[in-house]
Amino acid sequence: MADVAIPRAKPQISEDSAWTQLKHNRNWLGFWFMVPAMAFLIFFLAYPLGLGIWLSFTDTRIGRVGHFVATENYEWLWDDSIFWLSVFNTLLYTFVASALKFAIGLYLALLLNENMPFKAMLRAMVLIPFIVPTVLSALAFWWIFDSQFSIISWSLRHLGLINQNINFLGDTTWARICVIFANIWRGVPFVAITLLAGLQTVSPSLYEAATLDGATRWQNFRYITYPLLTPIIAVVMTFSVLFTFTDFQLIWAMTRGGPVNATHLMATLSYQRAIIAGQLGEGAAISSAMIPFLLAAIMVSWFGLQRRKWQQGESND
Amino acid sequence: MRDFTRRTLLQGGTALAATGMLTGPALFDFAKAWAQSAPWKAEPGAKLTVMRWKRFVPAEDDAFNAMVAAFKAATGTEMNVFSESFEDVQPKASVAANTGSGLDLAWGLHTLPQLFPTKVLKMNDVADYLGKKYGGWTDAAAKTCKLGNDWLGIPVATNGGYMTYRKSALDKAGFKEFPKDFPGFLEMCKALKANNTPAGFALGHASGDGNSWLHWVLWGHGAYTVDQNDKIIINSPETAKALEYCKALYDSFIPGTASWNDSSNNKAFLAGELYCTANGISIYVAAKTDASKKELAEDTYHALWPVGPVGKPTELQLALPILAFNFTKYPNAAKAFVAFMLEKENYEKWLDGAQGYLTQTLNAYESAPIWTADPKNAVFSQASKRTLPASGIGTVGEKAATAIADFIVVDMFANYCTGAKDAKGAMAEAERQLKRIYR
């Protein structure tokens, strides 16, 4: 049998057009599908972040281009008592509001997870604060806590419990309490409804088995509900902390950072310095100074979740 | 955004006719004649986008809109006008300056044109034309808009804020007339408090009211943030005296002023909780136009700011300059419109519409009918003459504007009055903040 020379097919990859490669190479196809998302992320997330950080190293003002001033903005902020007051206020606001939002939200979620009459209506009612536009609720609280026209002061005066109006937004301590209260009111539905969604995923058979073993309600919560809810709690609290830390509208509409800067958060101070006073570079530096705090909040949640090996089918540490 | 048509003009005219203003066809005839003889001829097909601050007195807005519509009808210039709140005018004008598009004219506050001097159309010819024709510009108005010999914009008006008080409360406190000096004013505030008819002035982040009255107290004691060379001089014995005086006043105020914004005193006064404050004429106008507040309107009077130990007026009134951007495609139309706004046939009627909320910056308009139409309007006619520029005795410009916008003086007084800091601490903090701005 004579050998038959079978011509070998030439490798064609290098000669294929991009369109042919796109049709046959799944990796290329995947890449092209990713391009719009990448472009979106770069233009709308990475670029503004990078620009903000760059501005913080310049003396840019609204209306004119700035020059590179290295860390000068940060050096001035380091000695700026109002900046440090805003850092203190932001941490206090975030910590107290987030903790209380979690406690109240968890309590409401557990309550709404029980069988009770009008359950659907009650669940819908819990969402009301969340669907009211922030500025509208802030204006309502501004009226509620107004120095002269507060409905609370009015009621207490008519009940004979106080002689003069409570100086809600004019006193530094009261003002902090009022803005934290408003933030809690607004943020609780998000925590409650998300945790409720998590509770719905817990199998009732676990509770039945535990009850047969004689577990109390507290033990049910401690050893079934809480461990299974932990991943949801981590995500909810991460978002809750981020939203609270970067809050702006509520403060700006209610107090504009007053009285005497007692409610100025880093976000509101950044806006005042950058937009109202026109110093974009300095405002950007204040905003950039928020990044380490926000990263820390995300890291705590992220590593907390990573440590829970049960998510990969292993037991916890 | 609002597009002006002949129909708008006629509608505006109907609304204004009740106040005896030049309206409808008469306004149009004037505008047409003016356009033919004006030094600036609008470019064919010109289109102007104008941003202005949001009106506080509706009739002022009507008068402005009628004027815009007449200009459009007479020159063929398309006019798009939109309003922004006081706080938003500067950022939006700055964005336009940065991007070189979006706006042709911006009518804003304080020293707006000084924020981007390289981006504005020089208005020297318009300022010369109007100045010569109408008796010259007031000193503070010129300082607000001039850089060297160049006019960066035109000072259209001043929003005057003056003492607004209830005469019955003053009578009861034993004051036949409003005090003219600082000691008398303090005594009056104490007496008002004793009678449970308190005074109250904003100590919160109130851009207009808070900055106005606290700069008045500061300057009235001979203290300033910076001197003529922009050297920071806030930390001084004069400032300490101003702080002491302000604390004494604050103790006599209605509770809650530390949290007040620009609308708080209006609200409290109209509700009958407040008996003396400093404000534009809007409180009185609101009371006059509300039938249920007739008694309050009759009892409401205005007075000049008392004079401090320095012995001369030290008021800070809100300047309202207009600028045209140098990237506008229609510079002649822009100049023509600005000049048209301030012509007697328009301007006096416009002042009428503003009912005292706006004060002229051209000396000839001191005799405008609005100032004699109601004796209670009269003090507001002096706002442009009595005010210092926003920089006090320092240089007008972006740094002075920043210091005002950043509430440096307001926070210093609020810190001391509320007990958050002692006098030295409050002055030191203000000094530090000013060094940050004037570095």
Side-chain angles (χ1 to χ4, degrees), chain B residues 129-180:
Chain B
Y129 167 81
L130 291 169
K132 281 176 187 160
K133 193 168 178 182
Y134 295 111
W137 299 93
T138 60
D139 190 42
K143 279 182 182 160
T144 297
C145 284
K146 280 183 85 173
L147 183 65
N149 291 322
D150 286 330
W151 288 77
L152 304 178
I154 295 296
V156 176
T158 302
N159 165 222
Y162 279 101
M163 294 291 171
T164 302
Y165 65 95
R166 297 277 295 271
K167 192 171 183 308
S168 59
L170 247 69
D171 290 344
K172 194 176 162 196
F175 287 80
K176 287 183 180 169
E177 61 175 17
F178 202 91
K180 290 187 167 54

Tab-separated table of all heavy atoms in Angstrom, chain B residues 129-180:
chain	number	residue	atom	x	y	z
B	129	TYR	N	-21.329	103.165	30.502
B	129	TYR	CA	-22.593	103.662	29.933
B	129	TYR	C	-23.626	103.899	31.036
B	129	TYR	O	-24.217	104.985	31.140
B	129	TYR	CB	-23.103	102.627	28.916
B	129	TYR	CG	-24.528	102.823	28.461
B	129	TYR	CD1	-24.851	103.742	27.471
B	129	TYR	CD2	-25.560	102.048	29.009
B	129	TYR	CE1	-26.163	103.904	27.054
B	129	TYR	CE2	-26.871	102.208	28.593
B	129	TYR	CZ	-27.172	103.133	27.615
B	129	TYR	OH	-28.473	103.290	27.200
B	130	LEU	N	-23.816	102.887	31.879
B	130	LEU	CA	-24.836	103.000	32.931
B	130	LEU	C	-24.410	103.991	34.012
B	130	LEU	O	-25.217	104.789	34.499
B	130	LEU	CB	-25.103	101.629	33.555
B	130	LEU	CG	-25.802	100.611	32.652
B	130	LEU	CD1	-25.759	99.219	33.272
B	130	LEU	CD2	-27.255	101.024	32.403
B	131	GLY	N	-23.135	103.942	34.376
B	131	GLY	CA	-22.628	104.838	35.429
B	131	GLY	C	-22.805	106.293	35.054
B	131	GLY	O	-23.249	107.117	35.867
B	132	LYS	N	-22.441	106.622	33.814
B	132	LYS	CA	-22.561	108.025	33.362
B	132	LYS	C	-24.022	108.455	33.276
B	132	LYS	O	-24.380	109.580	33.588
B	132	LYS	CB	-21.889	108.188	31.991
B	132	LYS	CG	-20.370	108.286	32.096
B	132	LYS	CD	-19.733	108.358	30.729
B	132	LYS	CE	-18.209	108.285	30.873
B	132	LYS	NZ	-17.561	107.886	29.618
B	133	LYS	N	-24.842	107.540	32.847
B	133	LYS	CA	-26.249	107.891	32.620
B	133	LYS	C	-27.040	108.013	33.929
B	133	LYS	O	-27.993	108.794	34.017
B	133	LYS	CB	-26.878	106.817	31.725
B	133	LYS	CG	-28.221	107.185	31.138
B	133	LYS	CD	-28.627	106.203	30.046
B	133	LYS	CE	-30.002	106.538	29.486
B	133	LYS	NZ	-30.413	105.559	28.478
B	134	TYR	N	-26.629	107.239	34.938
B	134	TYR	CA	-27.458	107.172	36.153
B	134	TYR	C	-26.711	107.554	37.439
B	134	TYR	O	-26.912	106.956	38.488
B	134	TYR	CB	-28.067	105.775	36.277
B	134	TYR	CG	-29.041	105.460	35.155
B	134	TYR	CD1	-28.726	104.505	34.189
B	134	TYR	CD2	-30.242	106.149	35.042
B	134	TYR	CE1	-29.605	104.236	33.148
B	134	TYR	CE2	-31.124	105.883	34.005
B	134	TYR	CZ	-30.802	104.926	33.066
B	134	TYR	OH	-31.675	104.675	32.042
B	135	GLY	N	-25.840	108.514	37.344
B	135	GLY	CA	-25.274	109.118	38.550
B	135	GLY	C	-24.183	108.316	39.244
B	135	GLY	O	-23.858	108.589	40.402
B	136	GLY	N	-23.610	107.364	38.567
B	136	GLY	CA	-22.469	106.616	39.141
B	136	GLY	C	-22.901	105.465	40.032
B	136	GLY	O	-24.056	105.387	40.461
B	137	TRP	N	-21.922	104.586	40.299
B	137	TRP	CA	-22.170	103.377	41.096
B	137	TRP	C	-21.846	103.624	42.560
B	137	TRP	O	-20.972	104.438	42.876
B	137	TRP	CB	-21.301	102.227	40.587
B	137	TRP	CG	-21.557	101.851	39.160
B	137	TRP	CD1	-20.889	102.322	38.050
B	137	TRP	CD2	-22.564	100.949	38.674
B	137	TRP	NE1	-21.419	101.769	36.912
B	137	TRP	CE2	-22.437	100.916	37.259
B	137	TRP	CE3	-23.545	100.174	39.289
B	137	TRP	CZ2	-23.254	100.123	36.457
B	137	TRP	CZ3	-24.353	99.391	38.483
B	137	TRP	CH2	-24.217	99.370	37.087
B	138	THR	N	-22.499	102.916	43.430
B	138	THR	CA	-22.131	103.010	44.849
B	138	THR	C	-20.768	102.337	45.043
B	138	THR	O	-20.372	101.467	44.258
B	138	THR	CB	-23.164	102.317	45.756
B	138	THR	OG1	-23.244	100.942	45.398
B	138	THR	CG2	-24.525	102.968	45.637
B	139	ASP	N	-20.102	102.728	46.105
B	139	ASP	CA	-18.722	102.294	46.334
B	139	ASP	C	-18.610	100.770	46.474
B	139	ASP	O	-17.800	100.122	45.804
B	139	ASP	CB	-18.219	102.987	47.609
B	139	ASP	CG	-16.738	102.794	47.775
B	139	ASP	OD1	-16.010	102.901	46.764
B	139	ASP	OD2	-16.311	102.488	48.906
B	140	ALA	N	-19.442	100.198	47.325
B	140	ALA	CA	-19.348	98.754	47.578
B	140	ALA	C	-19.707	97.954	46.325
B	140	ALA	O	-19.103	96.910	46.045
B	140	ALA	CB	-20.266	98.358	48.733
B	141	ALA	N	-20.667	98.468	45.566
B	141	ALA	CA	-21.071	97.759	44.345
B	141	ALA	C	-19.918	97.711	43.354
B	141	ALA	O	-19.643	96.667	42.754
B	141	ALA	CB	-22.278	98.450	43.725
B	142	ALA	N	-19.234	98.837	43.194
B	142	ALA	CA	-18.103	98.875	42.270
B	142	ALA	C	-16.988	97.940	42.741
B	142	ALA	O	-16.412	97.187	41.951
B	142	ALA	CB	-17.589	100.301	42.148
B	143	LYS	N	-16.702	97.976	44.050
B	143	LYS	CA	-15.634	97.111	44.578
B	143	LYS	C	-15.961	95.633	44.362
B	143	LYS	O	-15.072	94.813	44.140
B	143	LYS	CB	-15.438	97.382	46.070
B	143	LYS	CG	-14.588	98.596	46.352
B	143	LYS	CD	-14.393	98.772	47.844
B	143	LYS	CE	-13.577	100.033	48.112
B	143	LYS	NZ	-13.754	100.506	49.479
B	144	THR	N	-17.232	95.323	44.470
B	144	THR	CA	-17.643	93.925	44.340
B	144	THR	C	-17.365	93.377	42.946
B	144	THR	O	-17.045	92.210	42.788
B	144	THR	CB	-19.153	93.811	44.654
B	144	THR	OG1	-19.346	94.205	46.013
B	144	THR	CG2	-19.662	92.396	44.487
B	145	CYS	N	-17.466	94.247	41.944
B	145	CYS	CA	-17.361	93.755	40.565
B	145	CYS	C	-16.064	94.136	39.864
B	145	CYS	O	-15.777	93.623	38.786
B	145	CYS	CB	-18.535	94.279	39.732
B	145	CYS	SG	-20.063	93.403	40.086
B	146	LYS	N	-15.263	95.018	40.459
B	146	LYS	CA	-14.076	95.479	39.742
B	146	LYS	C	-12.809	94.735	40.158
B	146	LYS	O	-12.610	94.422	41.333
B	146	LYS	CB	-13.869	96.985	39.985
B	146	LYS	CG	-14.759	97.845	39.114
B	146	LYS	CD	-14.496	99.321	39.318
B	146	LYS	CE	-13.348	99.803	38.470
B	146	LYS	NZ	-13.209	101.279	38.541
B	147	LEU	N	-11.988	94.461	39.165
B	147	LEU	CA	-10.650	93.935	39.417
B	147	LEU	C	-9.698	94.873	38.696
B	147	LEU	O	-9.657	94.888	37.463
B	147	LEU	CB	-10.527	92.499	38.883
B	147	LEU	CG	-9.197	91.802	39.159
B	147	LEU	CD1	-8.981	91.599	40.652
B	147	LEU	CD2	-9.145	90.446	38.450
B	148	GLY	N	-8.966	95.667	39.460
B	148	GLY	CA	-8.173	96.726	38.832
B	148	GLY	C	-9.112	97.718	38.184
B	148	GLY	O	-10.036	98.219	38.830
B	149	ASN	N	-8.916	97.963	36.901
B	149	ASN	CA	-9.798	98.888	36.191
B	149	ASN	C	-10.893	98.173	35.411
B	149	ASN	O	-11.667	98.816	34.709
B	149	ASN	CB	-8.980	99.761	35.226
B	149	ASN	CG	-8.104	100.736	35.986
B	149	ASN	OD1	-8.523	101.277	37.023
B	149	ASN	ND2	-6.890	100.932	35.508
B	150	ASP	N	-10.900	96.870	35.511
B	150	ASP	CA	-11.866	96.096	34.722
B	150	ASP	C	-13.115	95.744	35.528
B	150	ASP	O	-13.020	95.349	36.696
B	150	ASP	CB	-11.226	94.790	34.235
B	150	ASP	CG	-10.248	95.022	33.119
B	150	ASP	OD1	-10.452	95.985	32.344
B	150	ASP	OD2	-9.258	94.264	33.026
B	151	TRP	N	-14.237	95.852	34.855
B	151	TRP	CA	-15.499	95.413	35.454
B	151	TRP	C	-15.726	93.966	35.025
B	151	TRP	O	-15.892	93.679	33.843
B	151	TRP	CB	-16.660	96.284	34.992
B	151	TRP	CG	-16.649	97.662	35.583
B	151	TRP	CD1	-15.847	98.697	35.200
B	151	TRP	CD2	-17.463	98.152	36.651
B	151	TRP	NE1	-16.110	99.802	35.979
B	151	TRP	CE2	-17.104	99.497	36.875
B	151	TRP	CE3	-18.459	97.600	37.447
B	151	TRP	CZ2	-17.697	100.287	37.849
B	151	TRP	CZ3	-19.063	98.376	38.418
B	151	TRP	CH2	-18.679	99.702	38.620
B	152	LEU	N	-15.719	93.067	36.005
B	152	LEU	CA	-15.897	91.642	35.698
B	152	LEU	C	-17.383	91.287	35.587
B	152	LEU	O	-17.739	90.215	35.132
B	152	LEU	CB	-15.262	90.780	36.785
B	152	LEU	CG	-13.778	91.054	37.053
B	152	LEU	CD1	-13.281	90.175	38.192
B	152	LEU	CD2	-12.943	90.816	35.804
B	153	GLY	N	-18.216	92.162	36.049
B	153	GLY	CA	-19.658	91.956	35.982
B	153	GLY	C	-20.329	93.273	36.304
B	153	GLY	O	-19.662	94.296	36.477
B	154	ILE	N	-21.629	93.254	36.378
B	154	ILE	CA	-22.382	94.470	36.699
B	154	ILE	C	-23.174	94.235	37.986
B	154	ILE	O	-23.913	93.252	38.096
B	154	ILE	CB	-23.346	94.823	35.540
B	154	ILE	CG1	-22.562	95.192	34.288
B	154	ILE	CG2	-24.288	95.954	35.939
B	154	ILE	CD1	-21.707	96.442	34.403
B	155	PRO	N	-22.990	95.127	38.959
B	155	PRO	CA	-23.728	94.964	40.223
B	155	PRO	C	-25.192	95.375	40.048
B	155	PRO	O	-25.521	96.556	40.162
B	155	PRO	CB	-22.994	95.896	41.190
B	155	PRO	CG	-22.341	96.921	40.315
B	155	PRO	CD	-22.107	96.302	38.974
B	156	VAL	N	-26.029	94.428	39.775
B	156	VAL	CA	-27.428	94.729	39.430
B	156	VAL	C	-28.169	95.357	40.609
B	156	VAL	O	-28.894	96.329	40.459
B	156	VAL	CB	-28.156	93.449	38.990
B	156	VAL	CG1	-29.632	93.730	38.724
B	156	VAL	CG2	-27.495	92.870	37.752
B	157	ALA	N	-27.969	94.762	41.791
B	157	ALA	CA	-28.725	95.245	42.962
B	157	ALA	C	-28.075	94.732	44.240
B	157	ALA	O	-27.136	93.940	44.195
B	157	ALA	CB	-30.166	94.739	42.881
B	158	THR	N	-28.589	95.230	45.332
B	158	THR	CA	-28.203	94.721	46.644
B	158	THR	C	-29.472	94.247	47.335
B	158	THR	O	-30.503	94.910	47.254
B	158	THR	CB	-27.567	95.845	47.498
B	158	THR	OG1	-26.440	96.358	46.785
B	158	THR	CG2	-27.125	95.344	48.859
B	159	ASN	N	-29.370	93.091	47.970
B	159	ASN	CA	-30.498	92.637	48.777
B	159	ASN	C	-30.257	93.152	50.194
B	159	ASN	O	-29.422	92.626	50.915
B	159	ASN	CB	-30.578	91.101	48.735
B	159	ASN	CG	-31.484	90.540	49.809
B	159	ASN	OD1	-31.166	89.555	50.439
B	159	ASN	ND2	-32.607	91.197	50.044
B	160	GLY	N	-30.976	94.187	50.536
B	160	GLY	CA	-30.756	94.803	51.844
B	160	GLY	C	-31.460	94.058	52.960
B	160	GLY	O	-32.613	93.652	52.821
B	161	GLY	N	-30.752	93.878	54.065
B	161	GLY	CA	-31.369	93.315	55.258
B	161	GLY	C	-31.311	94.356	56.361
B	161	GLY	O	-30.264	94.972	56.578
B	162	TYR	N	-32.428	94.608	57.016
B	162	TYR	CA	-32.429	95.625	58.083
B	162	TYR	C	-33.221	95.133	59.293
B	162	TYR	O	-33.828	94.054	59.256
B	162	TYR	CB	-32.977	96.953	57.550
B	162	TYR	CG	-31.912	97.720	56.808
B	162	TYR	CD1	-31.861	97.738	55.426
B	162	TYR	CD2	-30.912	98.370	57.519
B	162	TYR	CE1	-30.846	98.399	54.750
B	162	TYR	CE2	-29.890	99.038	56.854
B	162	TYR	CZ	-29.858	99.049	55.477
B	162	TYR	OH	-28.834	99.691	54.833
B	163	MET	N	-33.161	95.913	60.316
B	163	MET	CA	-33.877	95.548	61.531
B	163	MET	C	-35.390	95.518	61.262
B	163	MET	O	-35.944	96.484	60.736
B	163	MET	CB	-33.592	96.564	62.638
B	163	MET	CG	-32.157	96.546	63.094
B	163	MET	SD	-31.827	95.009	63.959
B	163	MET	CE	-30.049	95.120	64.153
B	164	THR	N	-35.994	94.425	61.614
B	164	THR	CA	-37.441	94.274	61.465
B	164	THR	C	-37.996	94.048	62.873
B	164	THR	O	-37.543	93.135	63.566
B	164	THR	CB	-37.751	93.057	60.573
B	164	THR	OG1	-37.116	93.255	59.299
B	164	THR	CG2	-39.245	92.885	60.355
B	165	TYR	N	-38.920	94.896	63.290
B	165	TYR	CA	-39.365	94.792	64.682
B	165	TYR	C	-40.853	95.100	64.828
B	165	TYR	O	-41.472	95.703	63.939
B	165	TYR	CB	-38.547	95.722	65.587
B	165	TYR	CG	-38.737	97.193	65.299
B	165	TYR	CD1	-39.664	97.959	66.016
B	165	TYR	CD2	-37.988	97.836	64.314
B	165	TYR	CE1	-39.840	99.316	65.743
B	165	TYR	CE2	-38.156	99.179	64.036
B	165	TYR	CZ	-39.081	99.918	64.757
B	165	TYR	OH	-39.251	101.257	64.487
B	166	ARG	N	-41.403	94.682	65.967
B	166	ARG	CA	-42.805	94.976	66.286
B	166	ARG	C	-42.846	96.231	67.144
B	166	ARG	O	-42.291	96.260	68.250
B	166	ARG	CB	-43.416	93.791	67.056
B	166	ARG	CG	-43.477	92.487	66.277
B	166	ARG	CD	-44.701	92.431	65.388
B	166	ARG	NE	-45.932	92.417	66.148
B	166	ARG	CZ	-46.534	91.298	66.579
B	166	ARG	NH1	-46.006	90.117	66.282
B	166	ARG	NH2	-47.657	91.350	67.261
B	167	LYS	N	-43.505	97.247	66.621
B	167	LYS	CA	-43.511	98.542	67.319
B	167	LYS	C	-44.161	98.429	68.700
B	167	LYS	O	-43.685	99.036	69.670
B	167	LYS	CB	-44.245	99.586	66.478
B	167	LYS	CG	-44.063	101.008	66.978
B	167	LYS	CD	-44.618	101.998	65.978
B	167	LYS	CE	-44.382	103.434	66.445
B	167	LYS	NZ	-44.832	103.705	67.805
B	168	SER	N	-45.197	97.625	68.783
B	168	SER	CA	-45.898	97.492	70.065
B	168	SER	C	-44.963	96.930	71.144
B	168	SER	O	-45.028	97.339	72.309
B	168	SER	CB	-47.112	96.575	69.905
B	168	SER	OG	-46.695	95.306	69.447
B	169	ALA	N	-44.076	96.015	70.726
B	169	ALA	CA	-43.143	95.426	71.692
B	169	ALA	C	-42.134	96.461	72.160
B	169	ALA	O	-41.764	96.502	73.339
B	169	ALA	CB	-42.440	94.235	71.058
B	170	LEU	N	-41.691	97.308	71.224
B	170	LEU	CA	-40.730	98.343	71.597
B	170	LEU	C	-41.391	99.365	72.525
B	170	LEU	O	-40.793	99.812	73.522
B	170	LEU	CB	-40.198	99.050	70.339
B	170	LEU	CG	-38.723	98.805	70.049
B	170	LEU	CD1	-38.529	97.359	69.641
B	170	LEU	CD2	-38.198	99.735	68.967
B	171	ASP	N	-42.619	99.735	72.206
B	171	ASP	CA	-43.355	100.689	73.058
B	171	ASP	C	-43.474	100.146	74.479
B	171	ASP	O	-43.227	100.853	75.454
B	171	ASP	CB	-44.750	100.945	72.476
B	171	ASP	CG	-44.692	101.747	71.182
B	171	ASP	OD1	-43.619	102.341	70.914
B	171	ASP	OD2	-45.687	101.762	70.442
B	172	LYS	N	-43.844	98.861	74.550
B	172	LYS	CA	-44.036	98.233	75.861
B	172	LYS	C	-42.729	98.186	76.652
B	172	LYS	O	-42.711	98.288	77.876
B	172	LYS	CB	-44.568	96.813	75.655
B	172	LYS	CG	-45.128	96.162	76.891
B	172	LYS	CD	-45.716	94.808	76.529
B	172	LYS	CE	-45.879	93.971	77.772
B	172	LYS	NZ	-46.083	92.557	77.455
B	173	ALA	N	-41.619	98.047	75.902
B	173	ALA	CA	-40.306	97.984	76.556
B	173	ALA	C	-39.767	99.369	76.884
B	173	ALA	O	-38.693	99.506	77.466
B	173	ALA	CB	-39.333	97.242	75.651
B	174	GLY	N	-40.516	100.398	76.498
B	174	GLY	CA	-40.124	101.766	76.855
B	174	GLY	C	-39.206	102.429	75.844
B	174	GLY	O	-38.506	103.390	76.181
B	175	PHE	N	-39.183	101.938	74.618
B	175	PHE	CA	-38.335	102.545	73.596
B	175	PHE	C	-39.218	103.246	72.563
B	175	PHE	O	-39.969	102.598	71.841
B	175	PHE	CB	-37.465	101.480	72.910
B	175	PHE	CG	-36.347	100.980	73.786
B	175	PHE	CD1	-36.605	100.023	74.772
B	175	PHE	CD2	-35.060	101.469	73.653
B	175	PHE	CE1	-35.591	99.576	75.589
B	175	PHE	CE2	-34.037	101.018	74.478
B	175	PHE	CZ	-34.294	100.062	75.454
B	176	LYS	N	-39.082	104.575	72.523
B	176	LYS	CA	-39.922	105.328	71.602
B	176	LYS	C	-39.440	105.180	70.165
B	176	LYS	O	-40.209	105.330	69.219
B	176	LYS	CB	-39.947	106.802	72.004
B	176	LYS	CG	-40.784	107.027	73.253
B	176	LYS	CD	-40.868	108.469	73.607
B	176	LYS	CE	-41.723	108.615	74.866
B	176	LYS	NZ	-41.649	109.950	75.438
B	177	GLU	N	-38.155	104.978	70.013
B	177	GLU	CA	-37.615	104.728	68.673
B	177	GLU	C	-36.554	103.635	68.745
B	177	GLU	O	-36.067	103.301	69.830
B	177	GLU	CB	-37.022	106.004	68.067
B	177	GLU	CG	-35.883	106.575	68.874
B	177	GLU	CD	-35.237	107.773	68.183
B	177	GLU	OE1	-35.865	108.344	67.275
B	177	GLU	OE2	-34.107	108.120	68.560
B	178	PHE	N	-36.224	103.090	67.570
B	178	PHE	CA	-35.253	101.997	67.551
B	178	PHE	C	-33.864	102.543	67.907
B	178	PHE	O	-33.461	103.596	67.383
B	178	PHE	CB	-35.223	101.358	66.160
B	178	PHE	CG	-34.676	99.959	66.185
B	178	PHE	CD1	-35.517	98.871	66.356
B	178	PHE	CD2	-33.314	99.718	66.067
B	178	PHE	CE1	-35.017	97.577	66.399
B	178	PHE	CE2	-32.807	98.435	66.104
B	178	PHE	CZ	-33.662	97.354	66.274
B	179	PRO	N	-33.141	101.877	68.796
B	179	PRO	CA	-31.826	102.392	69.215
B	179	PRO	C	-30.883	102.601	68.035
B	179	PRO	O	-30.936	101.863	67.051
B	179	PRO	CB	-31.298	101.293	70.131
B	179	PRO	CG	-32.495	100.553	70.587
B	179	PRO	CD	-33.482	100.622	69.471
B	180	LYS	N	-29.996	103.585	68.203
B	180	LYS	CA	-29.083	103.904	67.106
B	180	LYS	C	-27.645	103.485	67.386
B	180	LYS	O	-26.768	103.627	66.542
B	180	LYS	CB	-29.126	105.408	66.814
B	180	LYS	CG	-30.449	105.854	66.187
B	180	LYS	CD	-30.396	107.299	65.768
B	180	LYS	CE	-31.559	107.688	64.869
B	180	LYS	NZ	-32.893	107.385	65.420
